[in-house]
């Protein structure tokens, strides 16, 4: 059984949201699975000197236009949250906490969080907002809130972010297929060709 | 007759080179033509705060890998020039000088310049290097060298760069199809779908 395709994303990344809508289905076409790996881009922005995309003159306006257009192409609901970019540390911690016991439930939570943020333009920054989404999926919100403060979970996330950086991940979404890196929503097609052909 | 698709690029842009290999053929599939529009990204980098891609930590390494991989996918020869990024003002001026009398010859010159820079990893920075490429295509190198110093041609290029900025062009390659902007080599597929469907 080959290793799953690693899917790195920041919960605050709208192109990550678009990728999240399609990556599982696309990868499944090639009988492969996806390992979802949320992380925090903020740390990396210090390394690469990148600024939040939508704050950049000219590029920001284009990105707003392109995001809406890219969402429409696949019929994906899309709304930019009022507060953007936003802190996504609570969402990340909740994911890794849940993934310890149930990876599939953690992916479902990630999808629910992304839907609230970019499908409905809502907020997933505050711990209680993350707990609400988890509660809607049948998890105990008090357990979630406790996990978000758990030093062990905090360390777990830190270690995941370190691993991402070690692997050369510097943007969101970012895919790694058998060691081969693909950066950006617009590299999903290339990833598909790579999986289909075994590389070129 | 609909307007041609505008293809903005910087001669110093490797993704612009990759786009240049495919754009004419791809757009012709939809019975449309391409207006080649070289410009100078340097001015815009001041506005957007962008740095040369390959100089950015992590992103630079990835870009080198991705460029070679993207070139291989379509069987395009690719070699990064030793001096990179490089000044492309002479190449731009030569293009617009030639385009005044013969647009098709100017496109051929652009292709020749791009081939020398990124197909062979050569230099096209110096006026005499640009004149050499032009001479290989049957143009008088002395005429080219004179044109590169002609104040009228200098103004013509300045005006083209201003027009690009007014149109919101901030990167290379950048396509505009009936007012719709597409930024990046990896948006060529979207441009094709747009031309095929009339937009979505």
């Amino acid at each position: 059984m080959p290793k799953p395709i690693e899917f790195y994303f920041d919960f605050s990344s709208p192109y990550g949201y678009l990728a999240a809508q399609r990556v599982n289905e696309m990868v499944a076409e090639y009988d492969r699975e996806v390992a979802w790996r949320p992380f925090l881009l903020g740390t990396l922005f210090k390394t690469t000197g990148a600024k939040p995309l939508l704050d950049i003159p000219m590029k920001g306006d284009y990105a707003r236009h392109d995001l809406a257009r890219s969402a429409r192409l696949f019929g994906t609901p899309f709304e930019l949250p009022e507060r953007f970019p936003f802190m996504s540390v609570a969402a990340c911690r909740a994911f890794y906490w849940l993934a310890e016991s149930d990876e599939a439930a953690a992916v479902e939570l990630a999808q629910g969080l992304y839907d609230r943020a970019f499908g409905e333009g809502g907020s997933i920054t505050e711990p209680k907002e993350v707990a609400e989404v988890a509660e809607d999926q049948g998890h105990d919100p008090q357990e979630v809130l406790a996990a978000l403060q758990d030093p062990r979970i905090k360390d777990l996330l830190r270690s995941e972010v370190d691993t991402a950086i070690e692997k050369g991940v510097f943007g969101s979404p970012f895919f790694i297929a058998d060691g081969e890196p693909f950066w950006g929503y617009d590299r999903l097609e290339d990833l598909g060709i790579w999986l289909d052909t075994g590389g070129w």
Side-chain angles (χ1 to χ4, degrees), chain A:
Chain A
M1 186 72 186
K3 280 176 59 182
I5 312 307
E6 292 163 286
F7 167 40
Y8 281 97
F9 61 96
D10 188 312
F11 278 109
S12 180
S13 156
Y15 285 110
Y17 161 78
L18 293 181
Q21 311 301 309
R22 298 174 50 209
V23 66
N24 278 3
E25 201 178 328
M26 203 211 73
V27 166
E29 278 180 42
Y30 308 103
D31 295 321
R32 296 291 292 268
E33 289 185 352
V34 181
W36 289 47
R37 289 287 174 268
F39 76 113
L40 300 170
L41 258 181
T43 324
L44 284 156
F45 275 12
K46 286 173 205 154
T47 306
T48 59
K51 287 184 215 160
L53 183 64
L54 300 192
D55 293 349
I56 302 171
M58 299 178 83
K59 229 182 236 190
D61 288 341
Y62 173 81
R64 280 170 211 277
H65 182 80
D66 183 66
L67 281 164
R69 178 176 66 192
S70 297
R72 284 199 310 275
L73 182 58
F74 287 91
T76 304
F78 182 76
E79 198 172 327
L80 211 57
E82 211 170 298
R83 200 157 55 153
F84 182 85
F86 53 83
M87 291 290 289
S88 57
V89 63
C92 270
R93 284 184 191 152
F95 176 93
Y96 285 111
W97 163 72
L98 197 53
E100 284 195 307
S101 59
D102 188 340
E103 182 103 15
V107 169
E108 196 195 344
L109 178 62
Q111 290 167 325
L113 288 163
Y114 252 159
D115 286 347
R116 176 157 166 165
F118 294 106
E120 302 162 17
S123 174
I124 58 167
T125 299
E126 302 300 331
K128 71 173 171 49
E129 294 161 344
V130 171
E132 277 167 19
V133 175
E135 190 176 9
D136 286 347
Q137 299 185 352
H139 305 292
D140 179 347
Q142 294 309 320
E143 262 188 77
V144 177
L145 290 170
L148 296 183
Q149 297 304 323
D150 184 340
R152 204 177 52 76
I153 300 298
K154 292 181 181 180
D155 281 348
L156 185 58
L157 174 56
R158 262 185 227 111
S159 139
E160 289 285 346
V161 174
D162 288 347
T163 303
I165 295 174
E166 278 160 29
K167 291 190 178 185
V169 176
F170 57 80
S172 168
F174 199 106
F175 313 94
I176 304 177
D178 311 316
E180 186 71 17
F182 295 89
W183 168 43
Y185 175 62
D186 33 28
R187 281 289 181 278
L188 257 186
E189 274 68 32
D190 276 7
L191 171 62
I193 300 171
W194 193 270
L195 295 176
D196 192 27
T197 61
W200 63 83

